Amino acid sequence: MMLLESDLRADVDPKAHTTVRRYMDETGAEQQRGPSRSAALVAACRMLAAELPDSEALVNDPYAHLVADEASVAAARVDEPLQNTIRLRSKYIDDAVIAFAGTHRTERGQMLLLGAGLDARAFRLALDINVYEIDFPETLTLKAELFGDIAPLSPRAVVPVDMAEQSFVGPLVNAGFDVDQPTIVVWEGVINYLTNAEAESVVEQIGTILAPGGQLVADYVELSWFKKQGFDGATKKISAQLSNGGEPLKAGLRDAAGTLDRFGFDVIDDEAVEDLRPRYGLDARKRFYPARIFTASRRP
Ligand SMILES: C[S@@+](CC[C@H](N)C(=O)[O-])C[C@H]1O[C@@H](n2cnc3c(N)ncnc32)[C@H](O)[C@@H]1O
């Protein structure tokens, strides 16, 4: 990616993430890319959880209001099903990382956030674990500006990488990641911004950096949900909106279970996100979204 301009704004207005870079893509066409809008949107969903009673909030993200801008809060507020899904998946992943960190308390465990966006787990969970965060440079730069000098609760390193363009393994190891340490990888809300080939390549890379027993937690779209219309037909409108923000929606993993098996993972849990409600003491509801979430363990 060739940058044509540096940031249009030197300092970031937390009310509007307007830092945009122009660049030339591989065909020579001029494109724009700024910090992830989808990351701001899901942070806004976590922020709105604070308006709910504790039993329904499921997630407590005291930093979400710092990183969600006005546009993302407005978009989240009118999308209650999305808010519900984000709260459920946040709770599932929080529980998984807290359990993993607790099990490996005596060793120096690691957590890798792949497509970390504006996730505040390193700041809000006392995990006593080394945290690595991978995302596009633009999003990590914005995050650094928004968090300012707030200290993370766990040692944290950021690794700017476009996962669709290059392997993250070298940059991650250069940043201090230890392939022999117990690690949990969180890949939250990202698979659907990757093609099947890109997502499979990421699973393969995760397989190479995880010691046996290491875990991968990720959400993905159940493609069979779309029946005749298929993923592309059913998501045309939302995909067009997201493309405007430089984040076109993609079908992600075609066969999550098969890909995980092929690259050395055993699936230990796989559930429709909305069907998690009873697990957290909430009433069961009819599914609205095709999102699923899994935990997989690296085979010895
Ligand atoms: C919906 S957001 C989720 C952010 C975060 N995981 C969370 O749940 O709060 C998707 C994130 O994936 C990142 N992402 C998407 N494609 C990526 C790629 N090819 N390389 C690195 N990051 C990517 C985006 O920049 C964005 O931060």
Side-chain angles (χ1 to χ4, degrees), residues 5-281:
E5 278 181 1
S6 57
D7 292 354
L8 295 181
R9 297 169 54 117
D11 57 338
V12 171
D13 174 1
K15 288 193 164 45
H17 301 169
T18 48
T19 313
V20 169
R21 292 177 207 270
R22 289 191 294 134
Y23 67 98
M24 208 129 49
D25 69 14
E26 54 287 355
T27 68
E30 196 177 301
Q31 304 283 358
Q32 286 199 352
R33 193 161 83 195
S36 167
R37 297 302 308 149
S38 67
L41 178 64
V42 296
C45 291
R46 292 191 292 267
M47 183 191 109
L48 293 176
E51 297 178 2
L52 296 171
D54 282 354
S55 57
E56 283 172 50
L58 302 179
V59 57
N60 174 18
D61 185 344
Y63 298 106
H65 73 280
L66 271 188
V67 299
D69 62 352
E70 281 175 359
S72 61
V73 175
R77 201 172 277 288
V78 295
D79 197 340
E80 214 177 304
L82 179 67
Q83 289 180 43
N84 292 336
T85 307
I86 299 303
R87 289 200 310 278
L88 288 163
R89 90 175 187 205
S90 297
K91 162 82 175 150
Y92 181 97
I93 296 174
D94 280 0
D95 285 357
V97 296
I98 289 167
F100 191 86
T103 306
H104 297 285
R105 204 169 289 290
T106 53
E107 306 134 285
R108 194 71 183 144
Q110 304 175 120
M111 174 169 71
L112 168 61
L113 300 173
L114 266 185
L118 303 170
D119 179 321
R121 288 193 176 90
F123 298 86
R124 66 184 175 84
L125 300 178
L127 296 169
D128 196 19
I129 206 166
N130 291 329
V131 179
Y132 295 86
E133 299 192 6
I134 289 180
D135 209 297
F136 290 119
E138 292 84 351
T139 299
L140 293 173
T141 300
L142 172 76
K143 188 171 188 174
E145 288 164 350
L146 293 174
F147 276 86
D149 53 13
I150 297 171
L153 297 178
S154 302
R156 169 178 176 267
V158 297
V159 187
V161 169
D162 178 345
M163 289 181 276
E165 293 270 320
Q166 70 171 112
S167 164
F168 62 77
V169 175
L172 182 64
V173 170
N174 288 341
F177 182 92
D178 184 342
V179 294
D180 295 321
Q181 289 305 306
T183 300
I184 183 162
V185 178
V186 174
W187 198 16
E188 182 183 14
V190 189
I191 292 182
N192 278 90
Y193 296 97
L194 301 172
T195 63
N196 180 63
E198 289 160 358
E200 285 195 335
S201 158
V202 171
V203 176
E204 182 175 14
Q205 291 167 55
I206 299 168
T208 67
I209 55 144
L210 278 192
Q215 286 187 5
L216 166 62
V217 189
D219 60 313
Y220 68 104
V221 163
E222 188 174 346
L223 292 177
S224 58
W225 176 272
F226 296 102
K227 310 249 163 28
K228 264 204 194 134
Q229 223 185 351
F231 176 84
D232 290 340
T235 60
K236 214 182 250 167
K237 197 169 152 210
I238 179 164
S239 196
Q241 284 165 358
L242 290 166
S243 290
N244 288 340
E247 292 179 283
L249 203 59
K250 298 180 185 160
L253 284 177
R254 266 197 297 267
D255 172 16
T259 303
L260 288 165
D261 182 49
R262 193 145 46 91
F263 293 116
F265 290 89
D266 290 327
V267 175
I268 50 184
D269 187 32
D270 181 3
E271 183 61 277
V273 174
E274 285 160 306
D275 289 347
L276 292 168
R277 289 178 59 87
R279 216 184 264 199
Y280 305 136

